[in-house]
Amino acid sequence: MHFAPLGDSAVLITVGTTIDREVSRRVHALTDAVTRERLPGVTDVVPAYVSFAVHFDPSAVDEGELTAKLRELIRSPAPAQQSGERRLVTIPVSYDGPDLPLVAEACGLSVAEVVARHSRVEYFVYMLGFAPGFAYLGDLDPSLRMPRRGSPRTRVPAGAVAIAGSQTAVYPHDTPGGWRLIGTAGVAMFDASRDQPSLLRAGDRVKFEVS
């Protein structure tokens, strides 16, 4: 496990080198453990694919002291296992995206088979990023894996269900984007008025339900 400064107000802790569910579960377990500890001066704990960042107020805590506390916490047996079963979130989807016929043709499948293969997988939320509420979901059926568009769209509507590489996602806001659009989600992925604004959290399991 590698510790490194991330600017002057965060510590980056790298857990592994490969993007897979076991490494990600370890990242989430440690993120949960550090969050529960409520260390003085820590302002946020943010998981990524193979690492997580611990943000802190440099006027309230010394980076060296915080890093020492984090090393001690992570060495203890408690964070080794993620606590609690992660949620299974079901998202209704209308498979009406403008790129769906193109994806089917490129993959040598019918549109119905693309829908079936996309909706039968139980996905895993590796991390959130890019925009508030944007969750990176793996792992896509290998037969549906395609590169991003060569030229991104200047506007992708909120709720668009998309695929790129080995992942799928739902755009939570109207934003530019280069993923292939295959459907529309029937729920809001991000709502600032909710107690938990983002529908999905890192470590959640996700199923898409044809609507």
Side-chain angles (χ1 to χ4, degrees), residues 17-66:
T17 58
T18 58
I19 299 174
D20 62 57
R21 296 194 185 197
E22 288 310 308
V23 171
S24 190
R25 288 188 179 101
R26 175 70 171 155
V27 168
H28 299 154
L30 293 172
T31 299
D32 289 349
V34 173
T35 300
R36 287 195 305 270
E37 197 68 15
R38 298 183 181 276
L39 294 171
V42 170
T43 57
D44 202 3
V45 187
V46 182
Y49 285 115
V50 299
S51 62
F52 65 101
V54 180
H55 296 263
F56 64 92
D57 179 355
S59 68
V61 63
D62 175 76
E63 179 191 317
E65 293 178 1
L66 175 60

Side-chain angles (χ1 to χ4, degrees), residues 38-150:
R38 298 183 181 276
L39 294 171
V42 170
T43 57
D44 202 3
V45 187
V46 182
Y49 285 115
V50 299
S51 62
F52 65 101
V54 180
H55 296 263
F56 64 92
D57 179 355
S59 68
V61 63
D62 175 76
E63 179 191 317
E65 293 178 1
L66 175 60
T67 300
K69 289 179 181 177
L70 290 170
R71 287 183 183 276
E72 181 180 354
L73 173 62
I74 288 170
R75 277 200 305 266
S76 68
Q81 299 296 324
Q82 190 163 317
S83 59
E85 179 67 16
R86 291 292 180 169
R87 303 180 307 158
L88 174 61
V89 180
T90 300
I91 299 175
V93 176
S94 297
Y95 283 91
D96 56 3
D99 294 329
L100 183 57
L102 180 150
V103 169
E105 181 179 359
C107 295
L109 301 168
S110 66
V111 167
E113 187 60 26
V114 171
V115 172
R117 295 188 185 198
H118 184 264
S119 60
R120 72 186 177 198
V121 175
E122 183 178 282
Y123 296 98
F124 178 79
V125 181
Y126 279 96
M127 59 173 281
L128 277 73
F130 168 60
F134 189 99
Y136 291 84
L137 310 178
D139 298 281
L140 189 66
D141 186 308
S143 66
L144 302 182
R145 294 178 183 180
M146 293 185 63
R148 289 175 171 82
R149 288 166 49 95

